[in-house]
Amino acid sequence: MERWLASNTEESMSYRDPDDQEGLNEKVVDVARTSKATKGGRKMSMRAVVVVGDGAVKIGFGIGTAGEFPVAIQKGGEQARRNMISLVLNGDTLWYPTTAKHGATKVFMQPAVDGTGIIAGTTMRAVFEAAGIRNVLAKSYGSTLKINVVRATPSGGIMRPQTNWTEDGADLSLIHISEPT
């Protein structure tokens, strides 16, 4: 009995604690069992969609596929860490209402005042929480496939290019600075 307890302590478990991963929050959005028909029968594999963010401005998502769920989740988390992007936020909300589309999924996101919270579905909520967006109104239309919702959410409006914007949110490409004559 003591041997069993000693082997199942937190130090011996194969997963890494989210607090040890450079301060990143990891959320598993979806796990699914997929199959492929081969000559010898069906080949089963597991798929996991993982969202990783620092809770401030960085976010990434990854899709891991493996023979077992824990390995698929680990692979998805590693891919999400490799594919992290920086967002430009207006405090803890978005800059403007925006719509994004990926596949048959269409998502609408709108900034909200302080104290509103995240009013969105579970998939979009995981993306917003990982990104550090705390006040937003969001709705997904069309297909609710979780992979497409995760892909469409960061691509719509919250991925503004950082080089063309001033600190107060003005678009530098629209500002024409004339030379004094």
Side-chain angles (χ1 to χ4, degrees):
M1 182 84 168
E2 292 176 35
R3 183 175 174 202
W4 181 82
L5 291 173
S7 66
N8 287 326
T9 59
E10 284 193 28
E11 294 85 23
S12 67
M13 290 190 179
S14 63
Y15 69 90
R16 292 187 295 174
D17 192 19
D19 297 333
D20 295 339
Q21 301 171 7
E22 306 98 34
L24 298 176
N25 299 326
E26 183 176 300
K27 294 185 182 282
V28 179
V29 176
D30 184 33
V31 289
R33 189 177 75 174
T34 60
S35 64
K36 172 184 171 183
T38 62
K39 187 168 64 173
R42 288 192 199 127
K43 181 176 181 350
M44 297 292 182
S45 63
M46 311 305 166
R47 183 197 66 212
V49 180
V50 180
V51 176
V52 174
D54 65 350
V57 294
K58 289 193 168 202
I59 188 169
F61 70 91
I63 301 167
T65 305
E68 298 175 358
F69 281 120
V71 179
I73 292 169
Q74 182 182 3
K75 284 183 177 181
E78 290 170 0
Q79 184 182 11
R81 281 185 211 61
R82 283 193 305 265
N83 298 328
M84 293 196 65
I85 55 170
S86 293
L87 307 176
V88 180
L89 301 176
N90 184 9
D92 60 357
T93 188
L94 306 177
W95 281 96
Y96 47 84
T98 183
T99 303
K101 187 173 181 183
H102 188 275
T105 301
K106 189 175 183 181
V107 295
F108 172 74
M109 298 167 283
Q110 182 175 350
V113 297
D114 286 339
T116 303
I118 300 173
I119 300 176
T122 56
T123 308
M124 293 176 74
R125 177 181 299 274
V127 175
F128 291 138
E129 287 174 352
I133 300 172
R134 289 172 182 76
N135 297 303
V136 67
L137 304 170
K139 175 73 178 158
S140 64
Y141 298 101
S143 172
T144 57
L145 189 65
K146 293 182 180 184
I147 294 175
N148 286 348
V149 173
V150 168
R151 286 181 174 164
T153 303
S155 66
I158 52 178
M159 280 182 36
R160 293 187 359 185
Q162 295 183 355
T163 56
N164 294 336
W165 299 88
T166 62
E167 201 169 289
D168 63 347
D171 189 356
L172 289 176
S173 63
L174 299 177
I175 300 173
H176 179 72
I177 301 172
S178 60
E179 300 268 338
T181 57

